[in-house]
Amino acid sequence: MKDNPLMIYVISDSIGETGELIAKAAAKQFEASDYEILRFPYHNSIEAIEPVFEDMITKEKKALIYTNVEENTRKYIENRTKELDIPTVDVMGPPMKALEQALGYGPLREPGLIRRLDENYFKKVEAIEFAVKYDDGKDPRGIMDSDLLILGISRTSKTPLSMYLAHKLIKVCNVPLVPEVPVPAEVYKKDPKQIVGLIAGSDKIFSIREERLKSLGLHSSTKYADLKRIQEEIDYSTRVMKEIGCPIIDVTHKAIEETAELILEYINHPEL
């Protein structure tokens, strides 16, 4: 005759995913045992939890894992498990107690906080998607919708800067400046206070472009990596930026983070 299976009850005031994962991980260590996991999500009141204990009473082999954080329900679960002598795992209690001792103040005790996607999360996703969509002048329509427009010749870190700033919740569009390609009309319609130009020394651009060509298996003697051509591009881009009246940042010796901080400072204090 087959033994009755172990019934593992998971009670949570949120979706109970954490408790179930712990139950599965622990049960896997007893592969010879027959078990079943019963999850009871959004049980954040005594009235909701009480029927679960009524069901547990009828089972021969049972264990309880709970992740509740609200004090009243926690006390009720603790008292009932002691009364019924049910093996129990309090997932949230010990970690919250340890952090309370370390920080010197109590927890919020609000269910489901880990799964709440706040406004900043959605803004970040939106900004990243915007940066990808309007990278490298793909679509000039993004210029007017952007929080910031970055101008510069190829290899002045426009794309990595755009992505870095997107994580700061800023919607960035970047447009390459090439002498033979007309500057999109939208650039001149944009408020100069929302535009930043990037330049770099010709030697710096040359070395970056040369490495780029090598990685692509192309010959380094192309026009793209010609010093004279690069200087022409730099001069051209500088003229355009001055004509627009936007700030110009020399990124020759700057890390992405350093340039980003300068841009953020300018965005927050354009009058300086």
Side-chain angles (χ1 to χ4, degrees), residues 68-82:
N68 299 65
V69 295
E70 199 277 324
E71 193 62 35
N72 288 334
T73 54
R74 286 177 52 77
K75 285 181 179 178
Y76 173 76
I77 292 171
E78 182 180 350
N79 291 335
R80 286 292 278 158
T81 51
K82 287 181 179 179

Side-chain angles (χ1 to χ4, degrees), residues 27 112 162 176 188 195 212 233 237 269:
S162 297
Y188 293 100
I195 304 175
R212 174 63 174 165
E233 290 184 37
S237 66
H269 306 284

Side-chain angles (χ1 to χ4, degrees), residues 228-253:
K228 183 179 178 181
R229 164 65 183 188
I230 291 172
Q231 189 59 55
E232 289 175 357
E233 290 184 37
I234 295 171
D235 293 341
Y236 167 75
S237 66
T238 303
R239 287 197 303 271
V240 171
M241 294 169 193
K242 288 182 177 179
E243 182 181 347
I244 293 169
C246 66
I248 301 172
I249 300 175
D250 188 337
V251 299
T252 306
H253 302 295

